[in-house]
Amino acid sequence: MARIVMKFGGTSVADPERIRNVAARVKREVDAGNEVAVVVSAMAGVTNQLVAWCQELSPLHDAREYDAVVATGEQVTSGLLAIALQHIGIEARSWQGWQIPIRTDGAHGKARIDAIEGAELIRRMREIRQVAVVTGFQGVGPDHRVTTLGRGGSDTSAVALAAALAADRCDIYTDVEGVFTTDPRIVAKARKLDKITYEEMLELASVGAKVLQTRSVELAMKEKVRVQVLSSFAEAPGTLVVDEDEIVEKALVAGIAYSRDEAKITIRRVPDRPGIAAAIFGPLASAAINVDMIVQNVAADGTTDMTFTVPKADLPRAEATLAGIKEAIGYAEITADRDVAKVSVVGVGMRSHAGVASTMFRTLAEKGINIQVISTSEIKVSVLIGAEYIELAVRALHTAYGLDAA
């Protein structure tokens, strides 16, 4: 017997028929003798509609009321799944975040989980074999109001619940069959991975892979929760996200990720003096703008050009923030480019192998692709290139690192 948390995304619960399919999957686990809790997202498209209504009524809406509205999508799904489970003879009840409770901080719209009190769920699992159907994406803040965790937050809810329940595994059901070496829509020869390390998955998620939300991977790594990514629509085994010690032979490169959600900003002729970087990036941080890749050039006349990337959606706010400090900084001008994309090579094998970056640079050069910015970590190399070259770059790199399926 195992204790399992099963999480189903929006496409998996998009209509009553798919909810019946989810109920059948849950029943199989219960019939196998396992204790089960389920975390559900809103039905596909529902959250987008709720968000659109909030924005239509008031672009600068109250974040607390926004959370009260958008959290209702998961409430509907959890109730419907509980009904579907009861109909096929499974003891089940729905739980909203505040009922467990899932306690969060007060950052409405992007709250972080502080604690989950799982004792009552565990008691019901053990004593009456009840399946808990829990709303993902939400909790309750210090002011006793509903909070939401940000887009993709149901993944984080599931991992946090698995940690609180001391679950043996957290199964994340999606519309893909697992974690692939790259996007199969771009590279037909992309391979599904049997296992991937937390660190690799975290890097892939942070640089553009959409399979798991970054915060959920961070939490899984911290709490040592075994995560499995698998499809709601196929019976094939998925991909296990595990500790590095569980993978005997570590591949040089686990995967290639890309992101089109990048914009490049260049600040020209910035005075080259101590504290200038803090004077630029401090106001951006205060405006909650995440800066990613950074490169600085030193000129002979005592000035420097500084280039960095921000999320494309944050570009207008970033430009306005920088315009507000132009007089204090004393730079000449800023330029922005939306037509860029980031491609990244990720793998724990990089720690013990040289030449990964040179292979990347050579491969892109052979395809005539210019590199604009480079950033690295211990297990990742990322480059910024023209957006029009992203698919060519991903295919070429996938082949260069020997990731193509036979």
Side-chain angles (χ1 to χ4, degrees):
M1 183 183 74
R3 183 174 298 157
I4 299 172
V5 172
M6 306 171 73
K7 181 265 175 178
F8 294 91
T11 55
S12 302
V13 292
D15 54 47
E17 187 55 40
R18 290 189 177 182
I19 290 174
R20 289 191 189 98
N21 177 61
V22 167
R25 284 186 176 271
V26 174
K27 185 177 187 298
R28 285 203 294 271
E29 295 291 353
V30 174
D31 289 346
N34 296 321
E35 297 176 351
V36 179
V38 185
V39 174
V40 291
S41 297
M43 299 165 80
V46 167
T47 301
N48 288 341
Q49 180 62 74
L50 295 170
V51 170
W53 283 337
C54 290
Q55 293 175 337
E56 181 180 342
L57 289 170
S58 175
L60 298 176
H61 45 255
D62 185 331
R64 295 165 297 183
E65 301 305 339
Y66 168 91
D67 277 358
V69 172
V70 299
T72 60
E74 284 73 18
Q75 181 178 336
V76 170
T77 312
S78 64
L80 290 174
L81 180 55
I83 290 171
L85 286 166
Q86 292 166 3
H87 182 70
I88 58 176
I90 300 297
E91 175 70 31
R93 70 153 280 186
S94 63
W95 295 81
Q96 295 175 52
W98 63 267
Q99 292 175 305
I100 292 174
I102 298 173
R103 301 193 184 279
T104 75
D105 63 20
H108 287 273
K110 52 183 176 181
R112 301 186 75 86
I113 296 173
D114 290 332
I116 297 179
E117 297 172 21
E120 179 62 14
L121 268 60
I122 292 172
R123 185 189 70 80
R124 289 168 179 254
M125 284 178 178
R126 287 177 174 168
E127 294 181 7
I128 60 175
R129 305 276 297 157
Q130 187 178 79
V131 173
V133 185
V134 180
T135 52
F137 176 61
Q138 64 184 253
V140 59
D143 58 355
H144 307 294
R145 298 199 63 165
V146 171
T147 56
T148 63
L149 310 182
R151 300 311 292 263
S154 291
D155 286 350
T156 303
S157 298
V159 173
L161 186 64
L165 300 179
D168 297 281
R169 195 176 69 243
C170 180
D171 289 344
I172 307 287
Y173 287 85
T174 70
D175 53 0
V176 296
E177 294 182 11
V179 180
F180 284 75
T181 48
T182 195
D183 188 342
R185 295 170 298 180
I186 290 181
V187 181
K189 292 184 176 181
R191 293 183 290 107
K192 185 177 71 177
L193 300 169
D194 294 328
K195 291 183 178 180
I196 188 169
T197 70
Y198 294 121
E199 289 178 279
E200 289 170 330
M201 191 67 249
L202 183 58
E203 288 282 17
L204 287 170
S206 69
V207 294
K210 305 296 185 183
V211 180
L212 286 175
Q213 194 225 31
T214 305
R215 280 167 57 189
S216 71
V217 184
E218 290 175 344
L219 186 58
M221 183 164 61
K222 176 185 174 185
E223 300 293 341
K224 301 298 182 186
V225 175
R226 288 169 60 85
V227 175
Q228 182 176 209
V229 180
L230 63 170
S231 172
S232 296
F233 311 110
E235 297 301 326
T239 300
L240 276 171
V241 186
V242 296
D243 192 81
E244 188 175 340
D245 294 341
E246 292 194 43
I247 299 179
V248 178
E249 188 172 347
K250 300 171 182 62
L252 175 62
V253 169
I256 314 292
Y258 67 92
S259 172
R260 292 188 171 98
D261 184 33
E262 304 289 329
K264 182 179 72 170
I265 295 175
T266 299
I267 309 177
R268 302 196 182 280
R269 298 184 62 80
V270 179
D272 188 16
R273 62 174 185 263
I276 197 68
I280 291 171
F281 295 116
L284 291 172
S286 298
I289 297 169
N290 183 43
V291 175
D292 185 13
M293 312 171 83
I294 304 172
V295 63
Q296 180 176 346
N297 300 315
V298 179
D301 61 355
T303 67
T304 180
D305 290 347
M306 192 172 291
T307 298
F308 53 92
T309 61
V310 298
K312 197 170 289 185
D314 288 340
L315 180 59
R317 284 195 301 129
E319 290 180 299
T321 300
L322 293 170
I325 60 172
K326 181 176 182 179
E327 186 174 336
I329 299 297
Y331 64 81
E333 63 173 341
I334 61 171
T335 60
D337 185 359
R338 288 177 170 269
D339 297 323
V340 294
K342 179 170 63 178
V343 61
S344 305
V345 175
V346 175
V348 292
M350 293 184 189
R351 292 194 183 114
S352 54
H353 291 80
V356 175
S358 64
T359 298
M360 185 182 203
F361 303 154
R362 183 181 66 252
T363 301
L364 295 178
E366 289 171 352
K367 296 297 182 181
I369 300 172
N370 183 50
I371 296 172
Q372 301 179 25
V373 184
I374 301 167
S375 72
T376 64
S377 75
E378 191 178 23
I379 64 168
K380 176 198 72 180
V381 181
S382 295
V383 296
L384 196 71
I385 60 176
E388 67 271 25
Y389 296 112
I390 190 67
E391 294 191 11
L392 174 62
V394 169
R395 292 191 188 103
L397 291 169
H398 199 267
T399 299
Y401 289 107
L403 297 176
D404 290 353

